[in-house]
Structure formats: C-alpha cells, structure tokens
Amino acid sequence: MSCRFVAPCLFGLEGILAGELKRMGAEAVESENGRVEFSGDFSMLCRANLCLRTAERVLLKLGEFEARSFTELFDQVRALPFEEFISKQDAFPVKGYALHSALHSVPDCQKIIKKAAVERLKEKYGLSWFEETGPLHQIQFSILKDKVTVMLDTSGQGLHKRGYRRDANGAPIKETLAAGIADLAFVKKDSIFYDPFCGSGTILIEAAMKALNLPAGINRTFAAQKWGCIPAKLWQEERARGLDGVRKDAQFMAYGSDISAEAAELTLANARKAGVSKHIHVVQRDIAAFKPPEGQAVLATNPPYGERLLDKEQAQALAVTMGKVFLPGKTSYFVISPDEGFERLFGRRADKRRKLYNGMLKCTLYAYYGKRP
C-alpha cells in the first residue's frame, strides 16, 4: 500500500531532512516550513521511524481538504479510510491545533473529528460501540487558514527520544538539532571531532551515530509496531537492513570536554547507552585550556548562554574566550548561539551563517571553515 507521510522537523532542518528521505528511497519528497512530505509503503514507514535523524515524528496522512463549518469538517473526515489502519479494538484519541481559521475552537474540532471517525468505523465494522483497548492510533489534525490535514501518528514518543539520554544536564540540545548540526558540519566516517562544551554528550553521540551510519531509532520502539495492519516482519526486515548498513570500519573519533566533571561522566554514560562509547573520549577541562589539533578536524558545539545556564555577561565572556582558543587553521568550527553579537565577541566573521531553532529559541549556526589540504 502506498501512503503519503508527513515528517515535522525543527525550522531550518527541512533541507537536511529531505536529503535523508531521498537517500533512503522515499518518493515525491516535498519540503515546507517545519515539515517534509513524502510517499512510500509500510516498509518506508518502518525505515523512516528507525533511521531518520532530523525528523520529530512520522505521521501518516489520511486526507487534506478545506472546511469552514463543522458540517463540512464532519462530512469530509467521515469520508477518510480509517478502517484501513484502525481495527475494531484499537484506541483512536484525537488531538491537534487550529490557526487563522473559521474553525478556531480546538475542543470542538476534536469532538467533531472523533465523532466522524466513530461513525465511519461503525458503518464499516457494523458496531455501535468501540472499547478502544487495543494499540494506540493517535489521530492528529491541523487546521491552518481553513485547510484541514488529518493524520495518524506512527511514532509514539517523539523521534528525538533515541533511548540513550535518560539523564541530561541542565539544558541539553535536542537530539534532532544535534544531528542536523553534525550533517551541516560534514561529519564523515573518518572525521576527528570535538565538542568542548559537551554537556550530556548529545552532539558527540549524534555525530558518532552519523559517522557509523547507526540508525537513530535502533534502540527504541514505535507506536505503529503494534498496529495490526503492518506485518511484524517489516519491522524486523528494516531493523536488519539498518544494522547491515552500519560502517564497522569507521575510523571516526570524538573528543569531548566540559568544565563539569559530572557532565563528562554523564556523556560517557550516555555514549555507552547509545553503543558508541569506543569512539568517544571525554575529559574535564575549562574552555580556556582548549587547543586545536594539528591535523584536519571538525568542532561543533552548543556553548551555554544567557537563556540557558549562565547570565549574559558570563556567556559573552565565553564567546570572547572561544575566539582566542578556536584558532584559524585546519579545524572547522561550528558554533550555535542565540547571541546576534556572537561574531563581534568571537573576533571574526563567520564564513557562513544558518538560522536554526533550539526548541523555540531562535539561534544561528556560525560556521568557520578550516583550511583544506
């Protein structure tokens, strides 16, 4: 069965996510603000959940239409093929949002969509009541400028929850954003990689997983694994396919440091959970003691800043220190910061800037490219 899917992502990562999907064989890939749509069968559904690094989740699109009244909403939702995915016992709660639309009451929209889905399934199954004790089929809707999209969430927990970071320090970067930065930093299987503000190790771990081509979701489960319409063998086949693609010959090595000994220990613990600990070395060290390596290397980091852990003056002082120790040479530096004055404090204009979002916080990734051999 060919389906249409929606993969939401953090703003700024759409192009990276679209590239991931194309490389894994998805069809009709189309990027929009904060999401990428694509087509594929149930095997692609499994592959996308297991392997995507920068998607927040994978949603199966049931339908899209315009509605300006509750009658229009009910009639068009009722026409959607819920029975192709939801069986007699399955749970199918509804949640969503409405923006700039005639149908602006979210609770009322939830009730109408739920009622329409129930009526559709009553008709198809010949039942008058659904116990909803089976696997979860979360119905999600979005209504934007009267355009309604109705979807099923195949992921369950957000895809940023890889399974390795049960513990984190005070303000961790999201795994999906860290993966996007690793992509923008051109991490390869033989890269020498640094993060001198490693925190809980997210950037180091995501860089290692990318270098090894280790599937991002290999250590977790997904909502659609329990769906009766998807054969269990598809999940088994895609897990095996993902593991077959792991680069066992990768020479990638990552070096992390943090002023906090607790953070250094946490990074190593999380790296063990992720299965990449042999590729990551961590020490306790102040940023002022950092020395760039002599050979080709990549450094990507998310230094603490005023909105997170430090006051504004401390964060600005760190940017000045980074400018002194991140010396021009063969190392490429990638620093994400919300401070629009970062380049002035750092002492050099970036070779490239890219707008990204760390959660709801607008940031810029400042790229300083090293000399190539």
Side-chain angles (χ1 to χ4, degrees):
M1 176 187 292
S2 181
C3 303
R4 192 69 177 160
F5 300 100
V6 178
C9 63
L10 295 172
F11 287 106
L13 298 182
E14 297 89 348
I16 296 171
L17 175 54
E20 286 190 80
L21 284 161
K22 289 174 182 176
R23 288 191 295 274
M24 68 172 56
E27 299 176 346
V29 178
E30 297 178 4
S31 300
E32 300 178 22
N33 285 335
R35 56 191 265 173
V36 178
E37 291 198 15
F38 62 101
S39 296
D41 56 14
F42 284 157
S43 290
M44 180 54 62
L45 179 159
C46 302
R47 190 178 310 163
N49 273 297
L50 282 161
C51 299
L52 286 176
R53 303 185 188 283
T54 56
E56 294 303 309
R57 59 185 63 248
V58 176
L59 305 168
L60 191 159
K61 184 193 278 192
L62 292 175
E64 196 166 65
F65 50 84
E66 289 195 358
R68 296 176 180 82
S69 70
F70 288 132
T71 299
E72 288 181 323
L73 179 64
F74 178 87
D75 289 343
Q76 296 195 76
V77 171
R78 185 174 181 174
L80 299 176
F82 291 101
E83 70 282 357
E84 292 182 4
F85 309 98
I86 301 174
S87 67
K88 297 176 182 179
Q89 292 80 30
D90 293 341
F92 51 104
V94 178
K95 65 180 180 181
Y97 66 88
L99 295 171
H100 312 301
S101 300
L103 301 174
H104 57 271
S105 171
V106 172
D108 287 337
C109 291
Q110 284 178 290
K111 291 174 185 175
I112 294 295
I113 292 171
K114 179 69 174 185
K115 183 178 179 181
V118 167
E119 291 302 316
R120 170 81 181 201
L121 293 172
K122 276 184 179 180
E123 177 188 344
K124 295 297 178 179
Y125 291 131
L127 297 174
S128 60
W129 182 76
F130 294 91
E131 58 186 45
E132 297 195 48
T133 56
L136 176 66
H137 291 62
Q138 177 68 60
I139 298 174
Q140 290 197 193
F141 69 89
S142 66
I143 307 177
L144 180 61
K145 296 180 180 178
D146 301 323
K147 185 166 99 171
V148 182
T149 307
V150 181
M151 301 161 286
L152 292 175
D153 179 10
T154 74
S155 300
Q157 283 192 319
L159 294 182
H160 70 280
K161 295 188 177 181
R162 319 289 206 208
Y164 64 75
R165 201 176 73 180
R166 293 180 182 86
D167 299 307
N169 62 346
I173 192 172
K174 206 169 188 180
E175 293 90 334
T176 44
L177 178 56
I181 291 173
D183 190 285
L184 292 167
F186 309 109
V187 169
K188 296 180 173 59
K189 68 175 185 177
D190 58 352
S191 294
I192 304 300
F193 188 86
Y194 288 80
D195 181 0
F197 296 100
C198 65
S200 57
T202 308
I203 293 179
L204 293 170
I205 292 168
E206 291 296 327
M209 292 178 75
K210 174 177 171 54
L212 274 61
N213 200 34
L214 186 64
I218 201 67
N219 292 321
R220 56 161 288 176
T221 58
F222 309 92
Q225 280 183 246
K226 296 181 179 179
W227 292 7
C229 59
I230 302 178
K233 70 174 184 177
L234 293 185
W235 290 101
Q236 296 165 1
E237 289 169 359
E238 289 301 325
R239 283 184 181 276
R241 181 182 183 277
L243 291 173
D244 285 345
V246 174
R247 301 183 185 111
K248 297 181 174 63
D249 62 338
Q251 299 300 306
F252 174 88
M253 289 304 304
Y255 300 89
S257 57
D258 200 284
I259 195 170
S260 163
E262 182 182 356
E265 291 174 5
L266 182 56
T267 292
L268 289 174
N270 288 339
R272 283 192 290 270
K273 291 174 188 173
V276 295
S277 58
K278 73 176 184 179
H279 295 271
I280 294 176
H281 299 274
V282 187
V283 297
Q284 180 186 8
R285 184 171 59 202
D286 188 281
I287 184 62
F290 177 81
K291 293 181 180 180
E294 294 182 2
Q296 299 289 148
V298 177
L299 183 152
T301 194
N302 176 39
Y305 37 77
E307 289 85 348
R308 298 200 308 145
L309 299 175
L310 305 179
D311 61 39
K312 189 173 182 179
E313 289 73 21
Q314 288 175 309
Q316 290 179 339
L318 275 184
V320 172
T321 301
M322 281 187 279
K324 293 177 180 177
V325 298
F326 291 0
L327 302 176
K330 294 181 180 180
T331 299
S332 292
Y333 302 100
F334 297 84
V335 183
I336 186 169
S337 173
D339 190 345
E340 295 181 357
F342 175 81
E343 290 167 296
R344 174 181 54 81
L345 296 164
F346 190 76
R348 301 195 300 278
R349 286 186 61 80
D351 295 311
K352 192 169 185 178
R353 299 163 207 83
R354 187 179 184 117
K355 295 296 181 185
L356 296 171
Y357 279 79
N358 190 359
M360 298 301 294
L361 184 62
K362 185 178 180 181
C363 297
T364 300
L365 182 67
Y366 298 96
Y368 298 85
Y369 299 126
K371 295 177 182 177
R372 295 290 132 195

